[in-house]
């Protein structure tokens, strides 16, 4: 039963996955404390559907049951950051993940991106450098964030190197256009 919603999710049938997770939740015994994993998945599914309100509602339910559940803390914080909402709350959640798993490149990236959005690029750079040591170079998104922070700090040559690496890993991020705009911006200075 637990694999079925994952299969629906992976096949792109988000609605059936949601329906199946809700069935699993309804069928849990009152003593079962594992609903947080289903709430976490429902949060991710609703985020995929573009329904932040429902996604955040499920993330809150998951955190109510398990307040230090890193996957939810990270995703919730990251999605808030992407929307530019509640950055102080996102900072607190993300900080917990980095404190409990200091070498997780995904959590380091989220925390660094929030720092960047809070206008703390020097701190963001340190966390992203750490992420690079622990696998961050395998993620186009992390490379892009690192380049963005480096660019903000005026380290243009290094930023363009990381953007080039990100572009090679994932051509769908729009890096090529971003680099073109940034180079034009530099030339206008």
């Amino acid at each position: 039963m637990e694999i079925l919603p994952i299969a629906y999710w992976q096949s792109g049938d988000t609605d059936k996955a949601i329906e199946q997770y809700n069935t699993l939740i309804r069928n849990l015994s009152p003593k079962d404390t594992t609903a947080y994993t289903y709430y976490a998945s429902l949060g991710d599914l609703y985020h995929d559907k573009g329904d932040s309100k429902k996604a955040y509602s499920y993330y809150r339910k998951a955190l109510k049951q398990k307040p230090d559940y890193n996957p939810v803390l990270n995703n919730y914080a990251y999605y808030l950051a992407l929307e530019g909402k509640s950055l102080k709350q996102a900072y607190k959640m993300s900080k917990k993940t980095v404190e409990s798993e200091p070498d997780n490149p995904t959590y380091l990236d989220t925390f660094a991106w929030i720092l960047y959005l809070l206008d703390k690029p020097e701190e963001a750079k340190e966390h992203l450098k750490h992420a690079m040591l622990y696998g961050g170079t395998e993620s186009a998104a992390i490379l892009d964030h690192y380049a963005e922070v480096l660019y903000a700090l005026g380290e243009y040559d290094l930023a363009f190197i990381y953007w080039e690496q990100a572009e090679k890993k994932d051509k769908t991020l729009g890096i090529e256009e971003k680099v073109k705009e940034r180079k034009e911006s530099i030339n206008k200075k």
Side-chain angles (χ1 to χ4, degrees):
M1 289 289 288
E2 289 183 344
I3 294 174
L4 189 56
I6 296 168
Y8 285 134
W9 195 349
Q10 289 178 339
S11 69
D13 196 340
T14 306
D15 292 329
K16 284 223 185 232
I18 289 170
E19 181 183 317
Q20 188 61 37
Y21 276 120
N22 282 317
T23 299
L24 288 169
I25 291 167
R26 280 192 304 275
N27 291 324
L28 285 175
S29 82
K31 294 179 183 179
D32 195 326
T33 59
T34 61
Y36 70 91
T37 60
Y38 303 145
Y39 293 142
S41 294
L42 284 164
D44 291 343
L45 283 160
Y46 276 109
H47 180 268
D48 289 351
K49 287 182 67 144
D51 190 339
S52 296
K53 187 176 179 181
K54 279 190 177 178
Y56 298 159
S57 170
Y58 279 107
Y59 289 150
R60 285 190 297 275
K61 285 181 180 185
L63 292 173
K64 185 176 182 183
Q65 196 172 55
K66 187 161 179 152
D68 294 324
Y69 189 47
N70 281 342
V72 169
L73 289 168
N74 181 73
N75 289 359
Y76 194 0
Y78 188 66
Y79 297 145
L80 284 171
L82 288 180
E83 292 180 10
K85 292 181 176 178
S86 305
L87 291 178
K88 288 180 183 178
Q89 177 188 1
Y91 173 88
K92 288 176 186 175
M93 288 189 290
S94 185
K95 188 173 186 198
K96 283 183 179 181
T97 67
V98 171
E99 288 172 347
S100 71
E101 292 186 47
D103 298 331
N104 183 312
T106 301
Y107 298 164
L108 288 163
D109 174 57
T110 296
F111 190 57
W113 193 244
I114 292 166
L115 288 168
Y116 170 75
L117 293 173
L118 290 170
D119 202 28
K120 298 179 181 184
E122 286 289 345
E123 288 180 58
K125 179 182 174 184
E126 291 308 309
H127 288 284
L128 285 165
K129 281 172 62 176
H130 190 84
M132 293 295 144
L133 296 173
Y134 289 92
T137 56
E138 299 303 313
S139 165
I142 294 174
L143 290 166
D144 178 36
H145 287 165
Y146 192 38
E148 195 71 49
V149 168
L150 292 168
Y151 185 87
L153 292 169
E155 298 179 39
Y156 304 129
D157 291 340
L158 199 52
F160 291 123
I161 289 170
Y162 282 101
W163 271 321
E164 183 180 320
Q165 290 176 18
E167 173 69 16
K168 286 180 183 175
K169 292 201 177 296
D170 187 347
K171 298 203 180 296
T172 67
L173 293 178
I175 305 257
E176 190 175 342
E177 185 62 31
K178 182 191 298 191
V179 167
K180 182 181 172 186
E181 290 171 7
R182 298 297 166 79
K183 285 184 177 180
E184 287 173 8
S185 176
I186 291 170
N187 291 335
K188 290 179 182 176
K189 289 182 181 181

